[in-house]
Amino acid sequence: MANTTCDCPAPSCNTATREEPEAVIKVFTIDFKAPDITELMGPRFEEYKNGQVKIDVSVVSGFDTLFSEIENDARLGLGLFDVFITPPTIMGSVAPYNGFTDLTTYIQENYLEEWLDIFPGYREIIASYNGKILMTPFDGDLLHLFYNKEILDYYNFDSPRTWQEYNDIAEQVHGKIFPPTNKTLMGSCIGRLPQCAGPYWAMQVLSSMTQTKGSSEGSLFDTKDMSPLTNDALVETLKIFEKQFKYGHPTELEGCIEINMPAMKDEECVLTLNWGNAFLSNLIPGKLGIDKAPGSQKVLDRETGKLVTCTKELCPNAVYYDDIGFVNYAPYAAFGGWSGAVNGNISDEKKKLAME
């Protein structure tokens, strides 16, 4: 486990007027998120507290280690850290042990207007447990479609609306040399290294066939009886993956999410999936297109386990297109974004500081 202290930037420091820190807030997160705290959030909070509070950051590598450390702290009531920066998927393993502080009253009394500005799905489901607010969302990781607009325009393609259209475009452009850049194109670029983001890509495709009425009905399991929603939908998902891989990046099985965007930025990849904020560091001025992830014209009949054509009755939230009919979409938040939580096993004084 690595440790780093958050020192305020030189222009903000005023050693003549600041006192020595009276308290230390210990933050625990994964290694690649540390700069967000040490370079942005931490210095701002230290300045806000006039140097009387110091932010101390401890990091680990890998989600398995991050989650196990947070869960162990909760189970054993250790209170080793004050704040956790983590994907909210850990909440169900921590909340039963009161590992996260109830933030409901604090938010209602201090930040109710800001809280209501957050999408309901994030504040009511992802950030809450049994009606209590246990986490504060920092971002929302909805998966999106990314595409090269210049390449699609050159070959007279629109942004793909379905997985079939995604694969058709990938097939037709893969291996071609794009005249404006003289680069060989890859139809699709999605990292599929085991133990990485593979389940997210799978659930994005599967849920477009299994979930038609919103998250309350489930996308992998039927919430009525917890029966698996696989059958023909899973078979079709694998067929879609097969084509994506056939017309994909040559090292997809060897890389994680770093496969998705760099080739797009290098103008060699035509289509990919990634989190919505990925464009921030991968801009292609005038060429990078972003759209909702593709959907499906066929959906799962939960009674028969077979795929049937999407209709207004079966897919009340579907989008209708004159040329292809109804397409069902299931926006997918992957691991729910990044959120902050206050340790439930620390002093009330530390909780107050951590909430701030």
Side-chain angles (χ1 to χ4, degrees):
M1 184 182 297
N3 181 272
T4 179
T5 299
C6 188
D7 296 319
C8 60
S12 301
C13 291
N14 187 339
T15 54
T17 59
R18 290 190 176 183
E19 302 176 4
E20 287 297 314
E22 296 180 357
V24 176
I25 296 297
K26 298 180 179 180
V27 180
F28 183 64
T29 190
I30 202 164
D31 48 10
F32 61 82
K33 293 298 290 184
D36 291 348
I37 306 165
T38 59
E39 299 173 14
L40 296 173
M41 299 164 63
R44 292 173 183 173
F45 186 70
E46 289 177 344
E47 185 173 20
Y48 167 71
K49 301 300 289 186
N50 198 32
Q52 296 182 11
V53 176
K54 183 175 70 173
I55 304 299
D56 186 73
V57 183
S58 296
V59 301
V60 291
S61 298
F63 287 110
D64 287 348
T65 306
L66 176 71
F67 292 154
S68 64
E69 291 285 347
I70 296 174
E71 184 174 349
N72 287 339
D73 190 282
R75 284 176 175 268
L76 300 176
L78 299 176
L80 296 177
F81 309 100
D82 305 312
V83 173
F84 301 110
I85 308 297
T86 174
T89 46
I90 187 63
M91 184 159 53
S93 300
V94 173
Y97 303 97
N98 298 315
F100 291 165
T101 298
D102 184 356
L103 306 175
T104 308
T105 301
Y106 179 78
I107 289 175
Q108 290 177 344
E109 292 180 351
N110 298 277
Y111 297 101
L112 182 59
E113 184 176 353
E114 292 85 350
W115 183 251
L116 295 178
D117 194 44
I118 300 173
F119 285 136
Y122 286 95
R123 68 172 189 259
E124 296 173 6
I125 299 174
I126 292 177
S128 300
Y129 186 90
N130 283 345
K132 298 178 180 180
I133 301 172
L134 299 186
M135 306 190 81
T136 54
F138 293 153
D139 65 15
D141 280 343
L142 279 180
L143 293 184
H144 285 68
L145 167 75
F146 289 81
Y147 60 94
N148 187 301
K149 293 168 58 178
E150 182 183 39
I151 296 173
L152 261 59
D153 289 344
Y154 184 88
Y155 291 108
N156 296 314
F157 290 122
D158 293 323
S159 170
R161 300 164 294 180
T162 68
W163 300 112
Q164 182 63 50
E165 290 183 349
Y166 181 105
N167 285 346
D168 288 345
I169 293 172
E171 179 179 4
Q172 294 185 57
V173 301
H174 187 72
K176 289 186 176 181
I177 296 177
F178 186 48
T181 62
N182 202 36
K183 293 184 177 181
T184 302
L185 301 178
M186 293 173 278
S188 174
C189 301
I190 300 176
R192 305 183 190 277
L193 182 72
Q195 306 301 319
C196 188
Y200 302 143
W201 320 133
M203 283 304 302
Q204 178 67 80
V205 176
L206 182 68
S207 62
S208 67
M209 291 178 266
T210 60
Q211 186 177 96
T212 60
K213 297 179 175 65
S215 59
S216 62
E217 66 172 1
S219 57
L220 184 58
F221 295 96
D222 192 327
T223 53
K224 292 180 179 178
D225 56 13
M226 293 306 291
S227 58
L229 299 173
T230 49
N231 302 317
D232 283 9
L234 181 57
V235 173
E236 183 65 20
T237 297
L238 294 175
K239 289 180 179 179
I240 291 169
F241 271 19
E242 181 182 21
K243 277 201 170 183
Q244 287 181 355
F245 180 71
K246 184 177 181 180
Y247 306 112
H249 195 288
T251 61
E252 282 192 355
L253 296 180
E254 302 167 19
C256 190
I257 57 176
E258 72 274 5
I259 292 292
N260 298 39
M261 294 307 295
M264 178 70 66
K265 188 175 182 180
D266 291 340
E267 300 183 52
E268 296 175 330
C269 183
V270 181
L271 301 168
T272 189
L273 298 171
N274 213 315
W275 286 272
N277 61 359
F279 77 91
L280 293 172
S281 57
N282 295 278
L283 282 176
I284 318 172
K287 299 179 182 180
L288 183 64
I290 307 175
D291 206 341
K292 60 179 176 290
S296 175
Q297 293 170 264
K298 294 184 178 181
V299 294
L300 181 70
D301 183 322
R302 297 191 175 200
E303 297 299 323
T304 66
K306 303 295 182 182
L307 291 176
V308 296
T309 301
C310 184
T311 65
K312 185 61 177 177
E313 291 71 29
L314 291 174
C315 317
N317 300 311
V319 176
Y320 180 80
Y321 300 98
D322 290 336
D323 56 336
I324 61 175
F326 288 100
V327 176
N328 185 62
Y329 296 96
Y332 183 50
F335 62 36
W338 289 90
S339 298
V342 175
N343 198 324
N345 295 296
I346 56 177
S347 68
D348 290 342
E349 182 181 0
K350 275 293 187 72
K351 286 180 181 179
K352 183 179 178 181
L353 279 174
M355 287 179 189
E356 290 187 66

